[in-house]
Amino acid sequence: QVQLVESGGGLGQPGGSLRLSCVASRTIFRFAAMAWYRQAPGKQRELVAGITPGGTTNYVDSVKGRFTISRDNAKNTVYLQMNSLKPEDTAVYYCDLRSGNEYWGQGTQVTVSS
C-alpha cells in the first residue's frame, strides 16, 4: 500500500502562484509515473500534468506555460508549481501514482479568487 499526502493548496489571487506538494510513503515512488489531476464542482476529474520516472512531462493545454510539474526522487515528492493562476483553476487537486497499481491522494483544495 502507498499513501500519498498532498499539501500547499489554499486561496490564490488571480495572476498569483501556489505550489502543491505530494509525498509518497514508499520508495516505489522513484519507479512510478506521477500525475496531478483536478476536479472542479460539477465537472469530471481531468489530468493536469504528468511526469514519468525519467522526468518526461506532459500538460493539459489549459495550463501549458503556467504550471510546472517536477519530482524529487530523494524525497519521494512530486510538485506542481502553479503560476499566473486563473479563477478557472479552482478545483480539488489530486496526486496520482502509477506503478502497476494506482494510488490517489486525498486531494487539496485550490481556490483562485480576488
Side-chain angles (χ1 to χ4, degrees):
Q1 190 72 11
V2 177
Q3 291 184 329
L4 302 173
V5 180
E6 299 123 330
S7 61
L11 178 64
Q13 298 276 341
S17 298
L18 288 173
R19 188 175 83 154
L20 306 183
S21 300
C22 172
V23 182
S25 61
R26 293 177 56 188
T27 56
I28 190 176
F29 173 89
R30 66 187 61 203
F31 306 112
M34 301 297 301
W36 288 97
Y37 285 74
R38 67 185 178 187
Q39 187 166 19
K43 295 188 176 181
Q44 288 188 327
R45 190 174 297 190
E46 68 168 352
L47 175 65
V48 177
I51 185 166
T52 68
T56 301
T57 59
N58 65 283
Y59 300 91
V60 67
D61 285 348
S62 60
V63 308
K64 285 180 180 177
R66 300 190 298 121
F67 291 10
T68 302
I69 188 171
S70 61
R71 64 192 297 158
D72 185 337
N73 289 339
K75 296 182 179 180
N76 290 352
T77 302
V78 63
Y79 304 97
L80 186 68
Q81 178 67 44
M82 305 186 294
N83 299 329
S84 302
L85 287 167
K86 301 178 180 181
E88 51 263 43
D89 295 321
T90 296
V92 178
Y93 284 70
Y94 297 90
C95 177
D96 171 73
L97 180 152
R98 295 188 184 189
S99 182
N101 296 319
E102 184 172 23
Y103 302 92
W104 293 91
Q106 80 285 355
T108 185
Q109 176 70 47
V110 170
T111 302
V112 182
S113 174
S114 56

